[in-house]
Amino acid sequence: SMFRLKDIELAKLGDSDVHVKMLAAPINPADINMIQGTYATLPPLPAVGGNEGVGEVLEVGRRVAALKPGDWVIPATNALGTWRTQGVFPEESLLKVPSDIPVLCAATLSVNPCTAFRMLADFETLAPGDSVIQNAANSGVGQAVIQIAKASGIKTINVVRDRPDLPKLVERLMALGADHVITEEMLRKPEMKEIFKSVPKPRLALNCVGGKSTTEMLRHLQPKGTMVTYGGMAKQPLMVPVSAFIFRDVRLRGFWMTQWRKDHAQDQESLDTMMDTLCQLIQRGQLTAPACTEVPLQDYKAALENAMKPFISSKQILLL
C-alpha cells in the first residue's frame, strides 16, 4: 500500500491559521479514489489522506475572529487531509459546527448530508407528499436522503442491490424513515404499480450507480422529471431510451459537492442555511450518522481494507 503512518512537524501558526486537534475522520469512497489517482481532483504528493472529519480548536492566530479554542470544526474545502491527529489549517478552510452534536454525526457531515441536502433542494421544487427515487439507498448519501426527505414530508423509494442480509437492510432503512425499499430486480416488476397507488411517481431520481438499474429507475420518473447523477458505482454509462427524452422530456443533470462549494465560495448565506438546517436535524434526532465502525488510527490498514469490500454496510471511522 502507498500508505504509511508518519510523524510530521506541525506548521507554525500563522495570523489567520487555526491549530486543530482532530477527533474523528471517516474513510469515504472518494478518499480511496484519490489514493488510487482516479478522482477528478488530486492533491500534490506527499499528501495526508481524508476529506472529511471533525476536530477541536486548540489555538487560533491573532487575526482569527470567528473561531476560539474549544470550538468544533469540519472541513469547508476538499482534500484537507483529515487523517491526522493534529493540523494547522487556514481559517477559511474550516466551518464551525455545534459541539453538542454526536462526534460521529459531525465527522460525517461535510460530504454525504450536504450532497443529499443540495440534491433534494436544487433541482426540483419538492413539496410534502412528493416522492424521490434513489439507487444505492444504503450508501451514506442514500441514508441522508431518506432522513432529510422524511423530515420534509417527502416520500422515498429506495433501490438497493439484492444481498444475503436483505431483510436486515430493509429493516434498517425503514427505521430511518424510508417509505419503500426495493431491489434493482423489482424495478422491472408489475409490483411497482402497487407502490404508485400510495406514493406519486417521483419528480426526482438520484443516481450513483449507472448501467441497467439506472435505465429502469428512469422509467418511473414523472414527465419533465429530473435525474441527478452524482456517482457511477457500476462503472457503466447511463442508457437513456430516446422515448424518455421525446415523450416525457426528462432532464439529466449532474452533481458534485466539490464544484458546488467552488461555485458558492462567495455565497456564505447558502452555506450557513444548509449547515444550520442539517445541524438542527441532528439536534432533533432526525439525522443520524451512518452505521459506523470506529477504528483507532494505528489500525488504519485494516480500516482501508474493510472500506474497499463490497456490500460493506458500515462506514470505517478513524478515531484520532
Side-chain angles (χ1 to χ4, degrees):
S1 131
M2 328 161 222
F3 249 97
R4 51 182 190 277
L5 207 48
K6 271 185 76 157
D7 284 317
I8 52 175
E9 215 166 295
L10 268 181
K12 231 170 80 66
L13 187 74
D15 288 349
S16 305
D17 287 341
V18 181
H19 179 191
V20 177
K21 171 186 184 290
M22 291 303 296
L23 301 172
I27 299 177
N28 291 319
D31 302 324
I32 304 221
N33 295 343
M34 264 191 189
I35 298 159
Q36 292 167 337
T38 59
Y39 201 62
T41 53
L42 299 173
L45 296 173
V48 178
N51 287 295
E52 194 177 31
V54 61
E56 183 184 334
V57 174
L58 294 179
E59 197 189 346
V60 299
R62 59 189 182 87
R63 285 219 195 99
V64 174
L67 294 169
K68 59 185 190 306
D71 284 347
W72 276 18
V73 288
I74 64 173
T77 52
N78 215 21
L80 197 61
T82 52
W83 300 345
R84 62 173 104 207
T85 54
Q86 295 191 21
V88 171
F89 305 107
E91 178 185 18
E92 71 267 17
S93 68
L94 301 169
L95 284 177
K96 184 177 164 177
V97 293
S99 54
D100 64 350
I101 62 177
V103 70
L104 295 182
C105 288
T108 53
L109 180 56
S110 66
V111 179
N112 295 334
C114 289
T115 301
F117 181 92
R118 295 265 55 107
M119 292 194 302
L120 287 169
D122 294 353
F123 295 92
E124 287 283 343
T125 311
L126 299 171
D130 283 343
S131 83
V132 173
I133 190 167
Q134 64 166 345
N135 54 25
N138 56 314
S139 68
V141 171
Q143 293 176 55
V145 164
I146 290 170
Q147 295 173 85
I148 296 166
K150 171 86 174 169
S152 331
I154 294 160
K155 309 276 182 212
T156 57
I157 301 161
N158 301 281
V159 185
V160 296
R161 285 184 296 177
D162 200 2
R163 61 194 64 215
D165 60 346
L166 185 66
K168 217 156 84 189
L169 176 62
V170 171
E171 196 182 327
R172 213 179 67 201
L173 297 183
M174 297 299 272
L176 289 180
D179 294 283
H180 296 277
V181 182
I182 59 173
T183 62
E184 293 182 342
E185 290 70 33
M186 259 191 76
L187 280 170
R188 303 188 246 301
K189 301 260 167 75
E191 289 97 306
M192 287 302 289
K193 288 198 179 68
E194 285 304 305
I195 289 182
F196 295 126
K197 282 179 184 163
S198 61
V199 171
K201 287 215 158 191
R203 301 242 308 275
L204 180 66
L206 305 177
N207 163 51
C208 76
V209 179
K212 205 181 258 150
S213 87
T214 306
T215 311
E216 295 296 338
M217 205 162 67
L218 205 56
R219 274 180 207 197
H220 301 297
L221 207 53
Q222 273 192 37
K224 297 199 186 319
T226 305
M227 174 178 279
V228 181
T229 293
Y230 66 100
M233 284 169 18
K235 298 192 167 45
Q236 289 162 352
L238 299 185
M239 306 293 275
V240 182
V242 171
S243 60
F245 276 128
I246 299 176
F247 302 120
R248 290 193 297 123
D249 190 17
V250 298
R251 285 149 230 260
L252 297 190
R253 301 284 309 270
F255 182 78
W256 187 31
M257 194 63 217
T258 303
Q259 189 63 44
W260 186 92
R261 288 191 197 281
K262 280 189 192 129
D263 294 346
H264 294 78
Q266 305 310 313
D267 178 6
Q268 198 55 44
E269 199 183 338
S270 286
L271 186 63
D272 290 345
T273 305
M274 170 170 71
M275 297 317 293
D276 289 349
T277 307
L278 291 171
C279 288
Q280 279 168 21
L281 289 174
I282 291 168
Q283 283 161 331
R284 293 203 292 260
Q286 292 177 298
L287 178 60
T288 55
C292 292
T293 304
E294 302 175 36
V295 183
L297 181 59
Q298 59 268 25
D299 300 339
Y300 73 94
K301 282 197 174 111
L304 278 168
E305 275 167 30
N306 285 330
M308 291 166 84
K309 285 185 182 148
F311 293 129
I312 191 79
S313 55
S314 185
K315 197 178 271 292
Q316 306 290 307
I317 304 253
L318 297 170
L319 293 185
L320 309 160

